[in-house]
Amino acid sequence: MPTNELEMFLNAWDYEATNTVKLLQALPATQYDFRPDPGGRSLGELAWHLAEGDAYMSFGIDNGRFAMDMKPPNIERPRSVEALAPGYDRIHREAVARIRKLKPEDLDRSVVFFTGQPMSIRDILWGAVFAHGIHHRGQLSLMCRLAGGAAPGLYGPNREEMAAMRAGGGAG
């Protein structure tokens, strides 16, 4: 049981990271460059943006500032679907290590964000890391379907999992 808000965030973030890895592992292997919108990110680019969010936000917090010229270590985007899940997992663990340096009282501290405005570490963690990641994972789930894949059920069964449950293959 978490004893403070920082531990609660870290537990929730790790839970969501497990879901992210599940989704990344389900992406169609040959669809890295799939792009339903010519002006938007490809499947591989959007998948890696999930890692970038963890990396850039934790790196900015760790350094006490956010700047467009600051680049977290190990952030180069993998060029195959198969490399996305292990790459994300590595980046997430590095990000968690940076956030674990914080103390609960640090959540109230402000850092000047990319926008030039001060933002509390609490708001960066819950908004720019947690909610932002869930938002893009939802987009990636739909993109996975559009590319011919089957995104796993993350908060309940997907249609294939539900069909298996109804057929008796998932009960028990």
Side-chain angles (χ1 to χ4, degrees):
M1 186 62 117
T3 58
N4 59 59
E5 185 181 0
L6 182 58
E7 285 301 316
M8 184 171 57
F9 170 80
L10 288 163
N11 290 345
W13 191 26
D14 272 342
Y15 176 82
E16 294 303 331
T18 300
N19 278 339
T20 298
V21 169
K22 286 179 196 173
L23 175 58
L24 295 175
Q25 290 170 336
L27 297 176
T30 61
Q31 295 294 330
Y32 186 93
D33 293 317
F34 176 75
R35 190 182 309 264
D37 173 8
R41 290 182 172 112
S42 73
L43 184 123
E45 291 165 347
L46 181 58
W48 194 244
H49 185 60
L50 295 167
E52 290 171 334
D54 286 6
Y56 278 93
M57 296 306 117
S58 65
F59 191 70
I61 290 169
D62 193 40
N63 283 279
R65 69 183 190 94
F66 289 85
M68 297 307 277
D69 63 345
M70 291 176 55
K71 186 176 177 183
N74 306 314
I75 197 62
E76 293 73 30
R77 181 168 38 93
R79 301 299 177 179
S80 71
V81 169
E82 295 81 9
L84 291 168
Y88 169 83
D89 188 57
R90 175 181 41 80
I91 292 293
H92 177 72
R93 282 186 277 111
E94 292 171 2
V96 167
R98 287 190 279 272
I99 299 306
R100 283 210 176 276
K101 295 179 193 176
L102 297 174
K103 294 175 177 49
E105 56 270 19
D106 290 326
L107 296 179
D108 293 320
R109 192 165 36 91
S110 288
V111 179
V112 176
F113 198 61
F114 287 116
T115 60
Q117 300 299 313
M119 198 169 176
S120 73
I121 289 174
R122 169 181 290 107
D123 289 344
I124 295 168
L125 291 177
W126 287 110
V129 176
F130 193 78
H132 183 248
I134 292 170
H135 159 74
H136 284 304
R137 198 176 60 218
Q139 292 176 319
L140 187 60
S141 293
L142 176 59
M143 196 183 249
C144 177
R145 272 286 175 204
L146 293 172
L154 301 179
Y155 301 107
N158 68 11
R159 70 176 177 236
E160 293 84 2
E161 293 162 347
M162 182 58 78
M165 289 168 55
R166 286 187 177 130

